[in-house]
C-alpha cells in the first residue's frame, strides 16, 4: 500500500503537467485522447478535466480555459472543489510540450500498474472452486490480456501511408513464387477463388449429415500440413495446423487420414483383409502422416472458452496456419453464460468469438456447421436442393460474422439411373462458395470417394435441370 501511495505521488504532478500542456497547445489533444482515458488518471480532478476535454473534442468545440470552465459549470457530475481555480492555474502555467509523449506513457504505465495490483488482489481473494477452475482460469487469462493490451497505439493512418503499405504487399504477392497467398486448401479451383484460407478469416463449411464435411475438412487440414512441412524444409519454422474434434476421436480421424492418403479402404470389415502390398502402403502412409505438423484435440466436452484459451496457449509457441472446428452444433456454452436464453443466442456468441479468435491471432478458422431441413423441403433436384445462406442452422449471426460461407450438397447427374447401377462409392458433390467477402463466389464440382474419405476435383458435370454447374463469379 505504501508503494502504491508513492507511485501515485510521483504520477500526479505528471498528470497536471499533461493537462497544462494540452491547455497551452491543443495540437497534442489527438495523441492524448487516442492513448489515454479518464480512468487512467489517479487524480480525480485531472480525470474530470480530461473527460471534459474529450467531450469538447468529440463535439468539435474549441478547447480552452473558457470552454472547459463553461462545460464543467453546466455539468454537475464534472464539478469538484475549487475547479475554477484549478483550471485557471493550469491554463496560465507555461510549460513546454516537448515531453508530452513521455508524460502520456508514464500516466498510462502507472494506470496499468494499478490495474495489475488490483488484479493480483482479486486472484488472492478469489475462492478457487476446483469444479469451475477452468472457467476461472480462462477469466483470469482474459482479464490479464485486457490489462496488458491496454496501451493504445496510433492506428489512424493517412492514405499516403496506407497506399505505400498496400503497394509493398501487392508487390510481394506479384513477385511471390506461389499463386496462393493464404493457407492452401490443396484444391486448385477452390484456391483460385479464395487465394487460400486467409489469416484472420472465419470460414464456414456447412452441409446436411452424410455429405462429407468432416472428410473435406480433414483433406484441407492434411493439405495445409503438407504445405507447412514443405515450407519448413526450406526455412525452419514452427508452423502447425490444429483441429478440435467434438464428434470423432483422434484415432477415428487418423484412420480416415490414412485411408485418404493411401487410397485404401480401412473400414472394420476391410482392415483384416488387407493384402501384403496394401498393408505396406498403409504403413508407409502412417510414417508419412506422423511427420506432418497436425495437432488434434478430441475432447467432446469443449466449450467455446476452452477452444479460445487453447488456441491462445498454442499460438505463444507455434504459428498456426489453420484451425478446424468439427463442429459448431456440438460446442457447449460455458456455465458462466447460462443467461443465454436460447440456442440461437449461444450460436451467435460462438460465431462472434470465432471471428475474434481468427482476427486476434491472425489465423484462418474453419468451422463446420449443419444445415436445417429447409433445402429438403424445396425439392430434391438441381437448384431446389442447393443450400442457401438462410439454411444455416440455429443463427443468421453465422452468415453475418463469417468471411466465407461454403456449402456441400449432392449433385444429381443426368445419367442418374445408370450411375445407380454402378457399384461405385464416388459421389458427385457441389462445393458452393455462397459468400466470399474478399473475392468471387461460385460452384465447384468435387468427387467424394466416400469409402476412403477423399475428395478430388471434377471440372464439369451435366446436371438435371441446370444448363451448367461450373464455377461462376
Amino acid at each position: 500500500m505504501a508503494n502504491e501511495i508513492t507511485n501515485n505521488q510521483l504520477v500526479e504532478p505528471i498528470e497536471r503537467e499533461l493537462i497544462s500542456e494540452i491547455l497551452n497547445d491543443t495540437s497534442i489533444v489527438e495523441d492524448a485522447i487516442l492513448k489515454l482515458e479518464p480512468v487512467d488518471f489517479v487524480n480525480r480532478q485531472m480525470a474530470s478535466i480530461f473527460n471534459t476535454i474529450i467531450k469538447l473534442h468529440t463535439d468539435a468545440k474549441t478547447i480552452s480555459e473558457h470552454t472547459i470552465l463553461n462545460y464543467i459549470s453546466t455539468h454537475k457530475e464534472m464539478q469538484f472543489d475549487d475547479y475554477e481555480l484549478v483550471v485557471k492555474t493550469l491554463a496560465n502555467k507555461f510549460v513546454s510540450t516537448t515531453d508530452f509523449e513521455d508524460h502520456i506513457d508514464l500516466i498510462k504505465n502507472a494506470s496499468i500498474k494499478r490495474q495489475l495490483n488490483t488484479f493480483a488482489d482479486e486472484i488472492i481473494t478469489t475462492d478457487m472452486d476446483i469444479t469451475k477452475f477452468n472457467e476461472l482460469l480462462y477469466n483470469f487469462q482474459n482479464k490479464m490480456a485486457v490489462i496488458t493490451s491496454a496501451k493504445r497505439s496510433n492506428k489512424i493512418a493517412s492514405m499516403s501511408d496506407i497506399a505505400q503499405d498496400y503497394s509493398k504487399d501487392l508487390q510481394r504477392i506479384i513477385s511471390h513464387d506461389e499463386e496462393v497467398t493464404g493457407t492452401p486448401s490443396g484444391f486448385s479451383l477452390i484456391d483460385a477463388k479464395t487465394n487460400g484460407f486467409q489469416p484472420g478469416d472465419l470460414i464456414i463449411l456447412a452441409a446436411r449429415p452424410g455429405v462429407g464435411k468432416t472428410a473435406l475438412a480433414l483433406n484441407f487440414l492434411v493439405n495445409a500440413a503438407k504445405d507447412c512441412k514443405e515450407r519448413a524444409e526450406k526455412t525452419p519454422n514452427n508452423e502447425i495446423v490444429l483441429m478440435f474434434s467434438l464428434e470423432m476421436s483422434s484415432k477415428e480421424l487418423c484412420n480416415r487420414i490414412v485411408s485418404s492418403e493411401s487410397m485404401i479402404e480401412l473400414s472394420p470389415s476391410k482392415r483384416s483383409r488387407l493384402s501384403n502390398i496394401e498393408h505396406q502402403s498403409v504403413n508407409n502412409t502412417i510414417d508419412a502422416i506422423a511427420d506432418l505438423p497436425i495437432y488434434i484435440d478430441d475432447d467432446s466436452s469443449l466449450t467455446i472458452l476452452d477452444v479460445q484459451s487453447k488456441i491462445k496457449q498454442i499460438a505463444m509457441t507455434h504459428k498456426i496456419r489453420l484451425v478446424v472446428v468439427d463442429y459448431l452444433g456440438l460446442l457447449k456454452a460455458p456455465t458462466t453464460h447460462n443467461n443465454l436464453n436460447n440456442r440461437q443466442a449461444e450460436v451467435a456468441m460462438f460465431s462472434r468469438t470465432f471471428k475474434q479468435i481468427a482476427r486476434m491471432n491472425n489465423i484462418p478458422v474453419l468451422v463446420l456447421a449443419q444445415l436445417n431441413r429447409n433445402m429438403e423441403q424445396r425439392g430434391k433436384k438441381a437448384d431446389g436442393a442447393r443450400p442457401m445462406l438462410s439454411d444455416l442452422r440455429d443463427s443468421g449471426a453465422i452468415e453475418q460474422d463469417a468471411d466465407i460461407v461454403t456449402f456441400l450438397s449432392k449433385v444429381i447427374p443426368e445419367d442418374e439411373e445408370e450411375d445407380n447401377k454402378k457399384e461405385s462409392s464416388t459421389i458427385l458433390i457441389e462445393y458452393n462458395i455462397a459468400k466470399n467477402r474478399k473475392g468471387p463466389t461460385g460452384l465447384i464440382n468435387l468427387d467424394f470417394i466416400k469409402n476412403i474419405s477423399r475428395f478430388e476435383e471434377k471440372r464439369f458435370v451435366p446436371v438435371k435441370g441446370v444448363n451448367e454447374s461450373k464455377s461462376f463469379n
Side-chain angles (χ1 to χ4, degrees):
M1 180 62 74
N3 187 40
E4 185 71 22
I5 292 171
T6 302
N7 287 326
N8 289 348
Q9 290 173 340
L10 289 172
V11 78
E12 279 196 58
I14 297 172
E15 292 177 355
R16 292 178 181 276
E17 287 286 323
L18 180 63
I19 297 297
S20 180
E21 288 167 343
I22 293 172
L23 289 172
N24 283 277
D25 184 358
T26 55
S27 66
I28 67 174
V29 170
E30 293 283 0
D31 274 343
I33 289 176
L34 184 66
K35 297 176 182 178
L36 294 175
E37 300 173 85
V39 71
D40 291 322
F41 289 76
V42 69
N43 185 296
R44 293 303 90 197
Q45 295 179 350
M46 299 305 107
S48 179
I49 297 171
F50 189 69
N51 198 8
T52 302
I53 290 169
I54 291 174
K55 292 182 182 300
L56 290 170
H57 183 74
T58 303
D59 293 339
K61 292 181 178 178
T62 304
I63 295 169
S64 67
E65 173 189 343
H66 173 72
T67 56
I68 290 173
L69 286 175
N70 185 56
Y71 190 92
I72 295 177
S73 67
T74 56
H75 293 78
K76 289 186 177 180
E77 71 277 9
M78 298 290 194
Q79 295 175 8
F80 53 85
D81 291 342
D82 297 326
Y83 68 85
E84 291 187 22
L85 177 62
V86 172
V87 172
K88 287 179 179 179
T89 301
L90 293 171
N92 293 325
K93 180 181 178 184
F94 177 79
V95 293
S96 168
T97 57
T98 56
D99 297 327
F100 80 93
E101 289 183 351
D102 290 337
H103 291 163
I104 290 171
D105 278 341
L106 288 170
I107 292 168
K108 193 66 182 182
N109 291 343
S111 174
I112 292 172
K113 185 179 185 303
R114 291 195 301 275
Q115 293 177 61
L116 288 172
N117 288 342
T118 303
F119 180 53
D121 290 339
E122 182 184 348
I123 294 175
I124 293 169
T125 57
T126 297
D127 178 19
M128 293 293 186
D129 184 346
I130 59 172
T131 63
K132 298 180 180 178
F133 191 78
N134 286 342
E135 288 174 28
L136 286 169
L137 187 60
Y138 168 80
N139 287 334
F140 285 149
Q141 288 175 332
N142 256 12
K143 286 183 180 180
M144 187 64 179
V146 170
I147 294 171
T148 54
S149 63
K151 293 191 78 166
R152 302 180 187 177
S153 59
N154 191 349
K155 291 187 177 180
I156 300 174
S158 68
M159 182 50 70
S160 173
D161 292 336
I162 295 169
Q164 285 182 20
D165 289 341
Y166 173 77
S167 178
K168 290 175 184 176
D169 290 341
L170 185 61
Q171 189 58 41
R172 187 172 64 250
I173 292 169
I174 292 171
S175 61
H176 206 276
D177 293 336
E178 301 171 357
E179 292 182 0
V180 177
T181 59
T183 300
S185 70
F187 295 83
S188 60
L189 294 176
I190 294 175
D191 289 338
K193 287 188 174 295
T194 63
N195 215 359
F197 299 122
Q198 296 297 320
D201 277 4
L202 172 60
I203 306 107
I204 300 297
L205 174 60
R208 293 293 295 155
V211 184
K213 57 182 178 293
T214 298
L216 183 58
L218 280 175
N219 288 181
F220 287 157
L221 195 79
V222 171
N223 293 336
K226 288 178 181 177
D227 183 67
C228 292
K229 186 173 181 292
E230 289 175 9
R231 288 157 59 97
E233 288 169 355
K234 297 175 183 176
T235 306
N237 57 49
N238 283 326
E239 293 182 346
I240 66 162
V241 295
L242 175 63
M243 181 170 187
F244 294 94
S245 175
L246 290 92
E247 186 172 34
M248 300 178 68
S249 71
S250 55
K251 285 185 179 179
E252 288 175 305
L253 295 174
C254 184
N255 183 73
R256 285 198 175 199
I257 293 171
V258 173
S259 181
S260 174
E261 290 299 297
S262 66
M263 300 192 72
I264 296 171
E265 184 177 349
L266 293 174
S267 61
S269 62
K270 297 285 186 180
R271 280 188 297 231
S272 59
R273 293 185 288 149
L274 294 178
S275 68
N276 289 336
I277 293 175
E278 287 174 329
H279 193 264
Q280 184 59 51
S281 177
V282 167
N283 284 337
N284 291 340
T285 302
I286 292 171
D287 290 340
I289 67 168
D291 204 28
L292 293 177
I294 299 174
Y295 289 77
I296 297 173
D297 186 325
D298 63 359
D299 185 351
S300 61
S301 63
L302 282 173
T303 69
I304 185 67
L305 302 187
D306 294 328
V307 173
Q308 188 175 32
S309 179
K310 290 182 179 186
I311 289 174
K312 277 184 181 179
Q313 290 174 3
I314 295 170
M316 290 179 184
T317 54
H318 295 83
K319 178 175 175 55
I320 304 173
R321 294 286 306 286
L322 177 65
V323 171
V324 174
V325 180
D326 184 16
Y327 68 98
L328 188 69
L330 294 177
L331 202 61
K332 294 177 176 63
T335 56
T336 51
H337 288 68
N338 284 338
N339 58 326
L340 297 175
N341 54 13
N342 55 43
R343 183 61 181 172
Q344 284 76 19
E346 283 186 353
V347 173
M349 186 266 284
F350 294 162
S351 66
R352 282 195 305 272
T353 305
F354 278 127
K355 179 55 186 173
Q356 289 170 1
I357 290 171
R359 246 188 116 176
M360 291 176 68
N361 296 282
N362 199 33
I363 55 177
V365 177
L366 173 66
V367 179
L368 276 57
Q370 282 198 359
L371 297 171
N372 57 39
R373 295 185 179 273
N374 290 346
M375 58 174 287
E376 294 177 0
Q377 296 169 1
R378 289 196 301 270
K380 296 182 178 180
K381 302 293 183 181
D383 283 342
R386 181 171 290 158
M388 301 185 296
L389 292 170
S390 58
D391 294 326
L392 283 168
R393 189 171 178 177
D394 290 322
S395 177
I398 302 173
E399 173 196 343
Q400 200 170 28
D401 294 324
D403 298 280
I404 296 176
V405 178
T406 61
F407 299 122
L408 296 182
S409 57
K410 293 180 183 178
V411 177
I412 310 298
E414 286 182 344
D415 55 349
E416 176 186 16
E417 289 76 18
E418 290 185 16
D419 275 12
N420 285 339
K421 292 176 184 176
K422 298 175 185 176
E423 294 184 2
S424 172
S425 62
T426 300
I427 302 170
L428 185 60
I429 297 291
E430 188 175 81
Y431 183 85
N432 179 3
I433 303 176
K435 175 186 177 181
N436 186 2
R437 198 168 270 160
K438 300 175 183 175
T441 58
L443 309 176
I444 295 164
N445 294 309
L446 302 173
D447 273 336
F448 177 31
I449 312 171
K450 193 169 185 178
N451 65 328
I452 61 171
S453 298
R454 184 182 182 90
F455 277 81
E456 293 183 347
E457 287 180 333
K458 191 179 187 72
R459 296 284 164 165
F460 174 75
V461 63
V463 180
K464 280 191 173 183
V466 181
N467 292 328
E468 58 179 19
S469 68
K470 57 186 177 181
S471 300
F472 61 86
N473 287 342

